[in-house]
Structures are given as structure tokens and as C-alpha cells.
Amino acid sequence: MIPVMIWGTIIMRKKYGGKDYFFAVIVTLGCALFILYPAMMDVSPFNKGRESTIWGVSLMFGYLGFDGFTSTFQDKLFKGYDMEIHNQIFYTTVCSCLLSLSGLILQNHLIPAVDFMFHHPDCFSDVLILSSVATASQFFISYTIRTFGALTFATIMTTRQLVSILLSCIWFAHPLSWMQWVGAAIVFGAIYAKSFLRSKPQKTAVASLPHGSSPNPANSS
């Protein structure tokens, strides 16, 4: 959420209030607690603990920065050019295919990849299912960004990733440390509080109107 807000300020000249930054920091803090403090039984047996390196931290910040830029720039294209969802998905996918093909050719992995597919024809169905689901998800992602904005999409994705980890821990019986429970409570509590505070003034304003009056002056005219 924080990278999206930073890019929104730079690219789209948006101004966020102190409350928005506060909730973004709280959600980020909760996610950090959940990721950085796993249960001792959940640590890999091949090492004594988790290792943090400058290269690893750099990769993480690079991913967050580029990911935040992507959704923010999509939001800018939707609002600046009134672009349709399928148009943006088509051109983005074409560029992704060209970049992937260039990477395979430069690394000499194109022939081995094709050879693998021919030697394992049963994986065609898996590739088809994965590609179909990924394409469908792009429509949902683009619709969310176009309708609600990049920050709302970042909030949804943050919640989705945390829920996925929680479900994975429950499904595979991975233990959760008390710090992870605290982090999850912070994230969901902050998101609920933000939604509650956002909807409360609107309800109060509508309730304060006189009986029989319209909340929109333009409709009464």
C-alpha cells in the first residue's frame, strides 16, 4: 500500500490524508510481523534461522516498487485515456510475451522448453488451465483498478496474500507463532477500522437530512 501511495503522489499528483498513511503503515507493520516471526517449527531444518542479506532486501524493495508502479500506471492509463480493459490487457500481454521470448532466446532456454513440452504432453492441460485462470484474473484486476483505484487494489491484494498464507498454514498444519497471530489481527483490524470510518460519515450525513428531502440537490431540480 505504501509504494502505491508514493507512486500515486508522484505520477497522478494525488494527495492522501494522514489517516490513509496511518492505516497503510499499520497494515505494513502487521504484515511484517506475520512474515518475519514464524513459529520455530516452521523454520527450515537446513538452517538455524532466516537470513537477511542486502541483495535479498534489495530484491524485496525492487519488487514492491515495480509492483506499486504497475497498478498506479494502469490507473493513470484508465483515467487519462479512457482505455477499455481488454485493450490494456491485450497490449500488456503482447509486451510480456515478447519479453519472455527474448529472455528464453538470450539464455538459450527456448529449445529446452519446447523439448520439455513435447516429451511431457500431459502438462499441456496444466498450462492451459493456468493460463486461463491467469487471464481471467487479469480482467478482475483491471476492473478493480479502473473502478476503485490502485490503492483499493493494493489493499485487496495485501489482504488476499495474508489470507492465502493463513489458509496454507491451516491446510498443511503449519504452526503459527503468537507474533503471527498479532500481525494478522493488526492487519484485519486496521482494514476493518478504515472501512468503518469511511462509511460512518456518509451514513451520518444521510441520516441528518430532513424527512422527504433528496441527498443530491441536482436530483431535486
Side-chain angles (χ1 to χ4, degrees):
M1 296 173 62
I2 295 179
V4 169
M5 297 175 71
I6 294 175
W7 283 119
T9 303
I10 297 175
I11 296 176
M12 304 185 66
R13 307 299 180 186
K14 287 187 175 181
K15 293 183 179 180
Y16 299 99
K19 184 171 61 177
D20 294 324
Y21 283 106
F22 172 76
F23 282 113
V25 172
I26 292 299
V27 171
T28 303
L29 177 62
C31 291
L33 290 176
F34 191 89
I35 297 298
L36 297 177
Y37 292 94
M40 293 302 298
M41 295 176 59
D42 196 34
V43 178
S44 174
F46 297 102
N47 54 25
K48 297 182 179 180
R50 294 194 171 187
E51 182 181 0
S52 298
T53 62
I54 296 178
W55 174 242
V57 174
S58 301
L59 289 175
M60 182 185 67
F61 279 104
Y63 163 74
L64 292 175
F66 285 117
D67 187 65
F69 174 83
T70 300
S71 57
T72 305
F73 201 74
Q74 284 180 301
D75 194 8
K76 178 180 175 62
L77 291 177
F78 281 132
K79 289 180 171 59
Y81 298 96
D82 196 20
M83 182 180 292
E84 295 294 332
I85 293 176
H86 60 272
N87 289 333
Q88 187 175 118
I89 292 178
F90 173 76
Y91 289 113
T92 303
T93 305
V94 169
C95 293
S96 299
C97 290
L98 293 176
L99 290 174
S100 299
L101 180 61
S102 301
L104 289 173
I105 294 175
L106 293 175
Q107 297 177 6
N108 296 322
H109 289 166
L110 179 61
I111 303 300
V114 175
D115 184 67
F116 176 85
M117 295 292 292
F118 279 107
H119 280 81
H120 302 84
D122 55 325
C123 71
F124 275 98
S125 59
D126 296 330
V127 172
L128 181 61
I129 294 174
L130 182 62
S131 301
S132 301
V133 173
T135 303
S137 67
Q138 286 300 316
F139 279 96
F140 287 104
I141 290 172
S142 299
Y143 177 81
T144 302
I145 294 175
R146 182 181 184 182
T147 306
F148 303 102
L151 183 58
T152 301
F153 170 71
T155 306
I156 294 173
M157 291 302 295
T158 302
T159 309
R160 194 270 307 171
Q161 291 173 356
L162 188 61
V163 171
S164 298
I165 297 175
L166 283 173
L167 292 178
S168 177
C169 292
I170 296 173
W171 183 265
F172 295 103
H174 292 308
L176 292 176
S177 65
W178 68 272
M179 288 294 291
Q180 287 182 309
W181 286 112
V182 171
I186 291 175
V187 172
F188 291 115
I191 293 175
Y192 174 78
K194 183 179 180 181
S195 301
F196 178 77
L197 292 176
R198 179 178 295 178
S199 60
K200 186 176 181 180
Q202 297 176 356
K203 294 180 180 179
T204 305
V206 173
S208 62
L209 291 173
H211 181 70
S213 62
S214 174
N216 189 356
N219 294 335
S220 61
S221 61

